Amino acid sequence: MSKNQLNQIISTTKFTKTDKNIFFLDTPETSYKITTSIDVDLQEYLLSVLDRLKKLTRGKPQRIAFVVMEADTGKIIAMTGFDLENPNANPCIASNYPAASIFKIITASAAVETLGYTPGTTLYFNGNKYTLYKRQLKDVKNKYSCKISFSRAFAESVNPVFGKIGKNHLGEKRLESYADAFGFNQIIHSELPFFSGRFETNSSEYHLAELGCGFNTDTTISPLFGAMLISAVVNSGDIMLPSIVEHVTDPDGKIIYKNKQATYKKAIRPETATTMMQLMKKTVSKGTARKSFRGSSKDAVLSKLTIGGKTGSLYNKEHTVKYDWFTGFGNEKTTNKKIALSIVVGHREYIGTKAGTYAKMILKKYFKKTYATAQL
């Protein structure tokens, strides 16, 4: 069976709505048994979280998506969520979420490779960290300027710093080149084909600043693509092609399709990926994800992990939904077992549980089981 044939067979399978990892599908020609990579315990856990959210009157998200993937293989081990406006959609592969500051991963990678930035590179900005006025994009250093390291600017998601990097130092061609290297503007031909996300420049210099720091609603990503971005950082620059099917058997038990692990793209150099991991670890320990992961160093499970990530937050164009992102990784220190996570929550009027908190919950749930197994 070819991947295209498999696409057609599983196109209507509701992977996001079930806690099974084996599916039986009947076609006019024959029947198939499809074994997936879904971790039943983790999927059940996330489905129970969603069930509780759906019953809320206050704090129920408009949209929410969880994607958990083996970072070094691309195997999807959990994928679920909901969209109140479109209940039949798979919110994990929808590509119309604003990328927000998640795009700083691409900008930072480009700065490391083409500008020679290191975590300790000294940078300056004027004004508020989270605004992006044109006056903040001048390369000036005066008595009102704030001095900041590159790693801290990333960890704290400082918009003027990344706006200046995008507009003044990288420019249109390099931003486009790195967006392409990571896989923007492409249909990902996985077992569940999906569009990665949109990145487009225009003639406005200010727009380059908006793009560089993610402070715009034009750049979009899908949650599954968010997990792929993280796989590049964790895998020495290699983006893994996501998969959900392990194998398919016919009525006689013969395997007619078997998943083959594949690298989708080489996005960045290994040394760049190492630097990006440092930046992401600082985001969790001292940056915008710090509150969500408070107490992790003393936790029986989380203390055994190396955790990193990037947060993002932005309203939609109508200002009715505030999207809140966490994309990141958890690596078990002794076994080097690693997962990539991509979580987005579309909050309505009331801001409920944040994406970073869900990430902490997922890491604890998943590695608690694997750690307990290792102890046996």
Side-chain angles (χ1 to χ4, degrees):
M1 178 184 287
S2 69
K3 186 180 286 187
N4 285 339
Q5 289 173 311
L6 179 66
N7 292 156
Q8 294 171 6
I9 291 171
I10 67 173
S11 62
T12 58
T13 304
K14 304 294 185 184
F15 292 112
T16 60
K17 298 181 184 295
T18 180
D19 58 3
K20 300 183 182 70
N21 66 352
I22 295 176
F23 299 83
F24 295 91
L25 294 178
D26 294 321
T27 69
E29 296 80 28
T30 187
S31 301
Y32 300 103
K33 178 183 177 183
I34 299 172
T35 303
T36 72
S37 52
I38 293 292
D39 182 299
V40 172
D41 287 344
L42 184 58
Q43 184 84 349
E44 280 181 343
Y45 172 70
L46 293 177
L47 285 167
S48 70
V49 169
L50 295 177
D51 284 341
R52 289 196 297 272
L53 284 176
K54 288 175 182 176
K55 293 172 185 172
L56 295 177
T57 53
R58 184 183 179 195
K60 185 195 300 183
Q62 179 67 35
R63 301 168 84 189
I64 186 168
F66 301 113
V67 176
V68 189
M69 190 170 85
E70 288 184 359
D72 51 354
T73 68
K75 292 181 180 181
I76 297 167
I77 55 177
M79 180 173 70
T80 189
F82 63 74
D83 183 339
L84 296 181
E85 194 172 291
N86 192 353
N88 293 319
N90 180 347
C92 301
I93 61 175
S95 61
N96 59 346
Y97 302 88
S101 289
I102 302 305
F103 195 82
K104 287 187 175 84
I105 295 171
I106 286 80
T107 305
S109 297
V112 170
E113 287 201 348
T114 67
L115 304 175
Y117 281 22
T118 68
T121 296
T122 300
L123 301 165
Y124 297 87
F125 71 97
N126 287 51
N128 188 288
K129 290 180 188 177
Y130 304 124
T131 54
L132 192 70
Y133 297 111
K134 290 183 179 179
R135 64 177 181 270
Q136 291 180 284
L137 300 176
K138 296 176 181 177
D139 270 327
V140 297
K141 186 171 70 172
N142 54 39
K143 65 180 181 179
Y144 303 110
S145 300
C146 297
K147 179 180 176 182
I148 194 168
S149 68
F150 181 49
S151 63
R152 193 174 147 209
F154 182 90
E156 297 180 15
S157 209
V158 180
N159 281 338
V161 167
F162 279 84
K164 286 199 286 186
I165 292 172
K167 172 183 171 290
N168 302 344
H169 304 293
L170 289 175
E172 180 179 352
K173 296 302 179 188
R174 279 191 281 201
L175 280 176
E176 286 179 341
S177 173
Y178 275 83
D180 180 70
F182 273 91
F184 276 84
N185 302 318
Q186 293 168 33
I187 294 174
I188 312 292
H189 294 287
S190 64
E191 294 156 348
L192 295 171
F194 66 101
F195 186 69
S196 57
R198 186 177 71 249
F199 178 84
E200 294 176 359
T201 59
N202 62 29
S203 57
S204 163
E205 286 200 348
Y206 178 68
H207 193 236
L208 289 177
E210 291 180 308
L211 294 171
C213 68
F215 196 50
N216 69 92
T217 56
D218 301 325
T219 304
T220 65
I221 58 172
S222 64
L224 183 50
F225 184 52
M228 292 173 68
L229 299 180
I230 297 300
S231 77
V233 173
V234 177
N235 291 315
S236 301
D238 290 339
I239 298 180
M240 304 311 296
L241 185 68
S243 66
I244 196 167
V245 175
E246 294 278 51
H247 58 261
V248 180
T249 54
D250 66 13
D252 298 322
K254 180 184 176 184
I255 294 178
I256 56 175
Y257 176 89
K258 189 172 177 62
N259 171 56
K260 293 179 181 177
Q261 182 180 319
T263 301
Y264 178 63
K265 272 179 172 286
K266 181 77 174 177
I268 48 178
R269 296 194 292 260
E271 55 269 31
T272 305
T274 300
T275 299
M276 291 305 301
M277 285 190 75
Q278 292 178 44
L279 303 186
M280 289 189 180
K281 286 191 286 185
K282 191 158 186 175
T283 299
V284 168
S285 63
K286 296 184 178 180
T288 53
R290 177 177 55 85
K291 288 184 180 178
S292 294
F293 284 89
R294 184 177 288 149
S296 296
S297 61
K298 297 179 181 178
D299 184 87
V301 176
L302 298 175
S303 62
K304 307 287 192 301
L305 309 178
T306 300
I307 303 170
K310 184 73 194 79
T311 64
S313 180
L314 195 68
Y315 276 98
N316 63 353
K317 287 180 180 178
E318 297 76 23
H319 216 75
T320 55
V321 178
K322 186 175 186 180
Y323 287 104
D324 161 39
W325 283 95
F326 181 89
T327 59
F329 59 85
N331 293 4
E332 215 282 332
K333 293 175 184 176
T334 54
T335 66
N336 204 30
K337 188 178 183 70
K338 55 187 89 168
I339 61 172
L341 308 93
S342 181
I343 299 146
V344 62
V345 187
H347 303 280
R348 296 192 286 180
E349 184 179 357
Y350 177 79
I351 305 296
T353 303
K354 298 192 75 175
T357 302
Y358 287 123
K360 182 181 180 182
M361 292 161 57
I362 290 169
L363 288 169
K364 187 164 182 174
K365 174 69 178 177
Y366 180 73
F367 283 102
K368 183 177 183 180
K369 182 181 69 173
T370 59
Y371 183 65
T373 304
Q375 294 289 90
L376 298 176

